[in-house]
Amino acid sequence: MWLLAPLCAPACGGHSQALVVYVPTTPPSWATAAPIRIFIPGNGTSSVPTHATGIPDEVFRRVVLGSGGGRCSSFAIEQVIGGSDTGSVLWSGSVVLAELIGARAATFGIVPGSTAIELGAGLGLVSIVASCLGARVVATDGDESIQPVAKRNVLLNQRLQDVAGSQSGSESNEGGQSGAGSVDVRQLWWGDVAAARALGSFDTVLGSDLVYGTDGIVGPVAREASFAALLCTMWLLSHENTTLVLTYRERKPIEARFFTMLWEQFEPDVEGTSGEAWRGEASPIAGVPESSSVRLFTFRRRRRGRTGGDTPPAPYCAALGRDAVE
């Protein structure tokens, strides 16, 4: 299996980096196995088949965050090799987002006792990292078949963090990860107004590669409707102080429409930004496939006035024919 091992020197300038390291494939105890050789992408030493995402096709994958420390730096993720759903394997966007959460948790509103929800959680890496740092996380995905795998990943990492905590003399927690956080895995379809409202609003909304586009198959009309459904859900799960944190890699031109729609009701959560802020922030991690083209976006809801005490309709939802208010 391949592991993302931290690699940084003063020359990094504060940016997290990683090496890809090969460790023997064993049962879950492999998590403590020592690296036996280093693979630098492009040097021809790789013999492990890779998925279309560029992530090696290994059932278990160990992810070590260059930004992390102590218990919240090493994670184990089970993948579903050959799975039909996009969420059955790790994507570079999720690894980048996990790394950035480790480096900027407080900036993203992820602190002990905070609440977060991940959309399109897939295997659960991002949610697991956020919970290790103390957040109470709801990990959601529309694909019901992937939820058992995500739940197994939550339990596996809980055990790993408990072991790490006992070795460092720290106390573990009962409901989730070692930082007194938790992960609740649930199914959620974008555009399901009732389900989103039942979940309430969160301090942080997380998502990686949510607008992976196949415009040649789905078509622009259906794709735009899916964007509206996603944005409707984001709006209902947020409040005016919620931080929306997304990582994204452009693949299809139609995906730019999502950010045009996002900009209508959300604004960048970065001081001094302009209309070009939708382009996001580059956050490459050495050794992580495709990460050089993964962008980070942080947004907050635009403030909206109320007339005569009325609560205005929630944006985006009306385009779906849904009757929803804030």
Side-chain angles (χ1 to χ4, degrees), residues 19-46:
L19 273 181
V20 181
V21 180
Y22 183 81
V23 295
T25 301
T26 68
S29 60
W30 58 263
T32 58
I36 60 173
R37 70 184 174 94
I38 294 177
F39 162 61
I40 305 298
N43 72 352
T45 63
S46 174

Side-chain angles (χ1 to χ4, degrees), residues 166-239:
S166 64
Q167 291 175 344
S168 65
S170 303
E171 294 183 2
S172 63
N173 67 289
E174 217 172 90
Q177 301 302 100
S178 59
S182 61
V183 181
D184 180 12
V185 178
R186 299 193 187 187
Q187 184 179 30
L188 177 66
W189 287 100
W190 301 340
D192 187 334
V193 170
R197 294 194 58 166
L199 289 170
S201 58
F202 296 80
D203 298 317
T204 308
V205 176
L206 301 164
S208 60
D209 278 321
L210 296 180
V211 293
Y212 171 65
T214 52
D215 50 359
I217 300 173
V218 177
V221 175
R223 179 58 61 184
E224 180 150 339
S226 73
F227 293 163
L230 173 56
L231 290 164
C232 169
T233 299
M234 287 178 172
W235 185 271
L236 294 172
L237 295 172
S238 63
H239 50 70

Side-chain angles (χ1 to χ4, degrees), residues 15-16 96 100 104 247 281-285 291-292 294-296:
H15 296 290
S16 302
V96 170
L100 291 170
R104 310 183 194 178
T247 52
E281 172 190 343
S283 302
I285 301 174
S291 68
S292 61
V294 173
R295 316 287 294 187
L296 168 70

Side-chain angles (χ1 to χ4, degrees), residues 68-285:
R71 300 175 300 182
C72 296
S73 61
S74 182
F75 302 89
I77 298 297
E78 176 187 349
Q79 301 188 105
V80 182
I81 306 306
S84 59
D85 186 76
T86 54
S88 61
V89 295
L90 281 175
W91 289 66
S92 295
S94 65
V95 178
V96 170
L97 183 52
E99 173 72 22
L100 291 170
I101 289 172
R104 310 183 194 178
T107 301
F108 297 156
I110 297 173
V111 296
S114 65
T115 60
I117 186 166
E118 184 183 4
L119 303 176
L123 300 171
L125 171 64
V126 170
S127 293
I128 290 167
V129 172
S131 71
C132 187
L133 295 167
R136 301 191 303 275
V137 188
V138 179
T140 68
D141 200 286
D143 180 18
E144 189 175 13
S145 67
I146 204 66
Q147 291 181 29
V149 186
K151 291 178 180 179
R152 289 199 297 270
N153 282 329
V154 170
L155 291 174
L156 171 59
N157 284 276
Q158 179 182 341
R159 295 189 186 105
L160 292 177
Q161 304 310 325
D162 286 347
V163 169
S166 64
Q167 291 175 344
S168 65
S170 303
E171 294 183 2
S172 63
N173 67 289
E174 217 172 90
Q177 301 302 100
S178 59
S182 61
V183 181
D184 180 12
V185 178
R186 299 193 187 187
Q187 184 179 30
L188 177 66
W189 287 100
W190 301 340
D192 187 334
V193 170
R197 294 194 58 166
L199 289 170
S201 58
F202 296 80
D203 298 317
T204 308
V205 176
L206 301 164
S208 60
D209 278 321
L210 296 180
V211 293
Y212 171 65
T214 52
D215 50 359
I217 300 173
V218 177
V221 175
R223 179 58 61 184
E224 180 150 339
S226 73
F227 293 163
L230 173 56
L231 290 164
C232 169
T233 299
M234 287 178 172
W235 185 271
L236 294 172
L237 295 172
S238 63
H239 50 70
E240 290 183 342
N241 294 317
T242 295
T243 302
L244 177 64
V245 186
L246 306 174
T247 52
Y248 160 74
R249 177 178 181 265
E250 181 180 356
R251 294 177 175 85
K252 298 288 184 178
I254 193 174
E255 295 163 1
R257 174 59 181 156
F258 169 80
F259 291 96
T260 300
M261 296 170 67
L262 174 69
W263 189 268
E264 293 172 0
Q265 301 294 343
F266 291 85
E267 59 188 358
D269 188 28
V270 181
E271 293 184 4
T273 54
S274 67
E276 293 296 303
W278 68 270
R279 296 182 183 276
E281 172 190 343
S283 302
I285 301 174

